Amino acid sequence: MGKRIVIALGGNALGSNLPEQMIAVKETARAIADLVEDGHEVVIAHGNGPQVGMIQAAMAELTRSDPEKYVPCPLSVCVAMSQGYIGYDLQNALKEELLDRGIDVGVATVLTQVIVDADDPAFLHPTKPIGAFMTKEEADQMAKKWGYQMVEDSGRGYRRVVASPKPQAVVELSTIRALTDAGLIVVACGGGGIPVIAQEHHHLKGAAAVIDKDFASELLAEQLGADMLIILTAVEKVAVNFNKPDQKWLDELTPAQARQYIDENQFAPGSMLPKVQAAVKFAESKPGRIALITLLEKAREGIAGKTGTAVHQ
């Protein structure tokens, strides 16, 4: 029987600019179409680091050019923009690939808001640099005028930093579920979702934050009742002692083993660490659930148990 699968696409599956993305999504579409062809229900989440950075940089340049006419674009709006155009390219490429195989299945992108907690400690210690590099003078002006937190970034200039809070709930979950239940392929939670904070009278306020797409994908998979979460990355398997003489590739991981390796600092923060943490959380969310970490082009083999790192109880 086919599985309900949430796929978390990494940045390497989308390229770093518009021309690269149009090429990359064709390869991505082929790998996803393989899973659809095998009878699986597929929901696609994705990162947006290069894309939202490009949007932020463009908006910052516009503000610089005429600060009296243009105001900075909220980060939440930039995330929504990135969801739209990445979703467009994914829909386009995937629909073409499916029709070439004689599979007439609908593909839909859902602009997805993800609730974060206003009291999340991450808001007290923003660490994620975004947007364009600035001079010290420009950074001071932005901090004074807009209340931004600015930091010096590796000798290249000053950049704004924002928080990376944990996702709490997927606002459009019922819509995503309805589309999936109807047999459509859904693109959702792009870039970790549009970060919003729940306020009085059902109002959702956009937050100056970046949600980790692996944690958002895990939450979506959990709430959607998925059988499997596939986190795609730049390596075929998870390794311990990575890039060292005694490097060891891992075929399987239990949550207990994963925690031991995490305590040993085996996984790089901002890289493999959140992927392993998200995989563990999903595997523990319900008996029988499996998280797979592997390459995009190895996803089909990974589901068959032939490669990748499977995380399960």
Side-chain angles (χ1 to χ4, degrees), residues 117-132:
D117 187 349
D119 295 323
D120 191 305
F123 283 108
L124 299 175
H125 305 284
T127 58
K128 296 286 185 181
I130 62 165

Side-chain angles (χ1 to χ4, degrees), residues 63-102:
T63 304
R64 278 177 178 173
S65 67
D66 192 343
E68 298 301 319
K69 183 177 180 180
Y70 300 107
V71 299
C73 186
L75 181 55
S76 55
V77 175
C78 293
V79 174
M81 290 180 185
S82 73
Q83 285 189 359
Y85 91 74
I86 293 170
Y88 158 63
D89 276 349
L90 282 170
Q91 280 183 208
N92 192 310
L94 191 50
K95 188 68 177 179
E96 180 181 346
E97 180 66 28
L98 290 167
L99 288 174
D100 284 347
R101 301 185 188 202

Side-chain angles (χ1 to χ4, degrees), residues 121-191:
F123 283 108
L124 299 175
H125 305 284
T127 58
K128 296 286 185 181
I130 62 165
F133 289 96
M134 303 178 190
T135 64
K136 180 70 164 61
E137 182 182 9
E138 288 173 327
D140 288 343
Q141 289 175 349
M142 294 297 279
K144 183 178 180 180
K145 186 172 184 178
W146 302 107
Y148 291 169
Q149 289 189 252
M150 313 294 291
V151 297
E152 199 280 328
D153 190 342
S154 306
R156 296 176 293 177
Y158 287 78
R159 296 178 78 189
R160 182 186 176 193
V161 288
V162 298
S164 184
K166 291 290 193 295
Q168 301 296 314
V170 178
V171 177
E172 285 75 23
L173 180 66
S174 60
T175 302
I176 298 165
R177 180 182 287 116
L179 292 170
T180 306
D181 288 347
L184 278 72
I185 299 163
V186 184
V187 182
C189 285

Side-chain angles (χ1 to χ4, degrees), residues 215-229:
F215 293 141
S217 301
E218 188 284 325
L219 180 65
L220 176 62
E222 198 174 315
Q223 295 187 341
L224 199 57
D227 303 297
M228 179 174 276
L229 170 66

Side-chain angles (χ1 to χ4, degrees), residues 15 17 28 40 55 79 118 132 175 208 210 226 231 248 270 288 292 304:
N17 54 47
T28 299
H40 301 299
I55 293 168
V79 174
T175 302
V210 174
I231 300 175
K248 178 185 176 183
L292 176 72

